[in-house]
Amino acid sequence: LSLPKAVDFWNLYSPKWARAEQTETGLRMCDSDPVDYCRAERLLPLSSHCSISLTLTPEQADHGCLYGELCTPEGASAVRFIFREDGKLYLRTTTEVPAAEYKSGTPVTLTLEANCTTFFFTLAINGEPLQEPDGTIKQFHFMRAANQLSRLVLRTGPYLHTPTLDM
């Protein structure tokens, strides 16, 4: 996604204490809300094969998390990455897998390639694909099966499952 033009196409959810806003240089997300999060969602062309590249600059590496997801048209997460408060980037497959370390203020370019036919995705960090010990490109399982992907979601907290209509 090239900025600032690409920023125009984000849908933002921005409560008072968890702000998501467009700036001259890109999208800024910050969160001090104890019970909510901000979210930026970008619709993508409906596809069974998806390749997306984005550059993120974490402003911290010791508190808070940033979740990124490739989702189905129904909003179900198929691919997830997480910049966690321990200074590590994790991938969510059948479990959370540490992928790399990150530093506050240092830009990180992620390139995800997802294939809904095989339910696998690959990740390159700053142009370097993650590799197996034998040198082949590492493939990661989707969190759940997905026939098509249609959106990229960034949010500053875990998905809220409650409250529900029954609670």
Side-chain angles (χ1 to χ4, degrees), residues 1-141:
L1 304 176
S2 60
L3 296 175
K5 190 73 172 161
V7 175
D8 294 340
F9 299 105
W10 290 89
N11 297 307
L12 305 178
Y13 170 70
S14 186
K16 186 174 185 175
W17 291 352
R19 304 299 303 162
E21 60 189 358
Q22 296 177 9
T23 68
E24 290 184 19
T25 58
L27 183 65
R28 181 172 171 79
M29 300 174 77
C30 55
D31 187 350
S32 61
D33 195 316
V35 295
D36 207 350
Y37 55 78
C38 62
R39 181 179 66 238
E41 186 171 312
R42 172 82 187 264
L43 295 179
L44 305 171
L46 193 61
S47 177
S48 61
H49 293 80
C50 182
S51 179
I52 189 160
S53 183
L54 67 156
T55 301
L56 304 166
T57 305
E59 296 291 332
Q60 54 72 32
D62 61 356
H63 64 279
C65 293
L66 178 71
Y67 293 77
E69 297 173 336
L70 289 174
C71 298
T72 66
E74 298 78 27
S77 302
V79 174
R80 180 181 294 159
F81 60 87
I82 309 163
F83 285 85
R84 290 206 343 205
E85 64 275 354
D86 61 0
K88 293 182 182 170
L89 171 66
Y90 285 79
L91 300 176
R92 176 70 163 90
T93 61
T94 54
T95 187
E96 286 187 4
V97 178
E101 293 186 3
Y102 70 92
K103 292 184 179 7
S104 176
T106 302
V108 178
T109 299
L110 302 177
T111 303
L112 290 157
E113 293 192 23
N115 184 335
C116 293
T117 305
T118 62
F119 308 123
F120 280 101
F121 70 96
T122 61
L123 174 68
I125 301 173
N126 297 326
E128 296 293 323
L130 297 182
Q131 297 181 353
E132 297 286 357
D134 66 1
T136 60
I137 294 177
K138 198 170 212 174
Q139 294 190 354
F140 300 92
H141 283 280

